[in-house]
Amino acid sequence: MPEAYIIDAVRTPRGVGKPGKGALSHLHPQHLAATVLKALKDRNNLDTSTVDDIIWSTSSQVGKQGGDLGRMSALAAGYDISASGTTLDRFCGGGITSVNLACASVMSGMEDCVIAGGTEMMSFTTAHGAEQANAGIKPLGMGAGNMALDAIHPQSHQGVCGDAIASIEGISREALDALALVSQQRADMAIKEGRFAKSVVPVLNDDGSVALDREEFPRPETTAEGLAALKPSFSGLADFDLGGTTFRKQINRRYPDVEIQHFHHAGNSSGVVDGAAALLIVSPAYAEKHGLKPRARIVAYANQGDDPTLMLNAPVPAAKKVLAKAGLTKDDIDVWEINEAFAVVAEKFIRDLELDREKVNINGGAMALGHPIGATGSILIGTALDELERSGGRYGLVTMCAAGGMAPAIIIERI
């Protein structure tokens, strides 16, 4: 089978995802995507007329984030008009899926140069969601108004699911807060040591001034005492009236014996941020012809579904599946990236797979750095690659939970 190489990976810094407050919130989503696409072009002297396709991930494809960001952002970045683009949605997992599909296109032999990535302006989606709520429109995909999920697999809010899983697994608030503190400490060290410098590109305003050139979300001053003082975020939401049901009732329909305790809060949940990322994926023949040096090859990728009612538990079976496809064991993996959507996701992942904690989210995760939904998976693949190069490791495994009870996964090998 033909191989697929990663030539380069770039991303924006992540800006606080609050309308009018974050450093990127005044920009158009296409602007963020165009920033990383232009960086790939310029850094690699890429002839964009040779780009076969651009596969992009955006979870909330509404308003400014609608209209196929993959194609329109490429045009905004000055790409040749022959470089087509498409945009997909796998909720939080889309940024891995865009890379997986790009690799599949190249490994099939049908295409030689594909760019994959994602964008999410959560400052925009937060404002859009507030507008919908004020208009009385219930959110889809979270058990409220989604026919399939309501009738067959009742699904709750992600945060309530996180609390339910912690309650089922017997994972304490103290353990979740401890992981959140480690995430902040590791992110702070990574930033101070410049571990993200290879991938991060500044975002400029239209006038050329710098909008953001550093991570905006981390809180390095975080302490265990400060985390312990935070109030749970989802206790009230669990009993919010959805019109005859609540998020708590949705879970208890499937798991009647579960008494949900509330452990997650702003400090041990993923941060709301804006961001974009992109990777250049090519065939060996393309790399040789254009004088490009590959940084990694794709070893295997996989997709996994799990119980949509608890929503967040698919990463463990996804990791097992992709390891089996690669013919590897967990001991072969030098760098693990599991998205910290909520602390319980990463904590359960580590416990279930009995992993060495020093190999998991080495440079912090979304609790410290933020989670720009459709872009996060692409960011994590680039982060894993940078860490493999820094540490001299060989294999990296990246996975993450996604709404609907899903998880894509990928294993890369440093070259």
Side-chain angles (χ1 to χ4, degrees):
M1 179 183 293
E3 292 191 323
Y5 289 158
I6 299 176
I7 300 299
D8 202 4
V10 299
R11 68 172 178 87
T12 67
R14 281 160 278 196
V16 171
K18 294 183 178 180
K21 295 183 179 180
L24 302 177
S25 63
H26 64 290
L27 298 172
H28 196 285
Q30 288 180 21
H31 187 98
L32 258 64
T35 295
V36 291
L37 288 170
K38 187 175 186 301
L40 274 187
K41 173 171 66 77
D42 294 344
R43 284 164 48 133
N44 299 283
N45 194 27
L46 180 64
D47 178 358
T48 59
S49 69
T50 67
V51 175
D52 292 309
D53 205 5
I54 296 156
I55 304 176
W56 215 246
S57 161
T58 303
S59 184
S60 296
Q61 295 180 35
V62 295
K64 293 190 293 184
Q65 290 202 156
D68 190 356
L69 278 179
R71 169 62 170 176
M72 305 314 294
S73 300
L75 295 175
Y79 274 44
D80 191 273
I81 58 172
S82 63
S84 63
T86 188
T87 303
L88 60 86
D89 173 17
R90 197 194 288 274
F91 300 114
C92 296
I96 295 178
T97 294
S98 65
V99 175
N100 289 354
L101 291 178
C103 295
S105 296
V106 171
M107 293 168 77
S108 71
M110 292 294 102
E111 294 179 317
D112 289 297
C113 178
V114 183
I115 293 173
T119 303
E120 204 79 41
M121 293 285 291
M122 296 188 73
S123 55
F124 162 69
T125 58
T126 298
H128 180 75
E131 291 175 0
Q132 286 189 311
N134 291 334
I137 301 173
K138 295 178 180 178
L140 293 178
M142 295 196 303
N146 190 310
M147 182 179 68
L149 292 174
D150 284 346
I152 305 170
H153 295 289
Q155 184 175 211
S156 185
H157 182 275
Q158 291 95 324
V160 182
C161 288
D163 286 341
I165 293 168
S167 301
I168 292 169
E169 298 291 331
I171 299 174
S172 68
R173 161 84 181 249
E174 289 74 19
L176 301 177
D177 283 356
L179 193 66
L181 181 59
V182 168
S183 184
Q184 292 285 352
Q185 292 170 339
R186 289 181 175 179
D188 185 45
M189 179 181 293
I191 291 168
K192 288 177 177 176
E193 294 185 357
R195 296 185 187 182
F196 301 140
K198 189 170 186 176
S199 293
V200 173
V201 296
V203 180
L204 306 180
N205 292 309
D206 290 334
D207 63 5
S209 62
V210 175
L212 187 65
D213 60 1
R214 59 177 178 81
E215 298 293 342
E216 191 177 27
F217 187 80
R219 298 179 291 274
E221 71 281 3
T222 298
T223 63
E225 294 76 17
L227 289 169
L230 294 175
K231 295 181 179 180
S233 298
F234 305 109
S235 55
L237 184 60
D239 298 308
F240 180 75
D241 184 7
L242 299 171
T245 189
T246 65
F247 290 129
R248 189 187 305 277
K249 289 178 181 178
Q250 295 282 53
I251 292 176
N252 285 144
R253 279 173 56 189
R254 286 287 306 280
Y255 300 92
D257 297 329
V258 176
E259 182 178 346
I260 301 173
Q261 302 178 66
H262 297 286
F263 297 143
H264 287 93
H265 49 74
N268 61 23
S269 303
S270 55
V272 176
V273 296
D274 300 330
L279 294 92
L280 177 58
I281 313 292
V282 307
S283 66
Y286 183 97
E288 182 177 359
K289 179 179 179 180
H290 295 272
L292 297 173
K293 183 179 179 180
R295 296 174 60 190
R297 75 176 186 93
I298 308 307
V299 179
Y301 56 85
N303 298 295
Q304 182 70 47
D306 202 85
D307 180 10
T309 298
L310 292 178
M311 198 185 309
L312 311 176
N313 283 339
V316 169
K320 291 179 178 179
K321 184 176 182 178
V322 77
L323 284 169
K325 284 181 175 289
L328 299 173
T329 72
K330 66 177 184 180
D331 296 329
D332 294 312
I333 304 301
D334 302 295
V335 173
W336 297 82
E337 288 288 339
I338 168 66
N339 186 42
E340 296 172 349
F342 300 94
V344 73
V345 177
E347 183 65 24
K348 185 177 186 299
F349 189 82
I350 292 169
R351 294 187 185 195
D352 286 1
L353 294 174
E354 299 180 330
L355 300 180
D356 178 353
R357 290 177 180 268
E358 297 303 313
K359 294 183 177 182
V360 182
N361 296 353
I362 297 168
N363 296 306
M367 290 186 286
L369 296 159
H371 174 25
I373 310 296
T376 302
S378 297
I379 291 174
L380 294 184
I381 295 170
T383 299
L385 175 55
D386 285 345
E387 179 57 28
L388 287 172
E389 291 177 337
R390 186 191 73 84
S391 64
R394 181 176 182 182
Y395 293 112
L397 190 155
V398 183
T399 188
M400 60 199 305
C401 60
M406 298 183 290
I410 187 171
I411 295 175
I412 63 172
E413 180 182 15
R414 177 180 65 88
I415 297 179

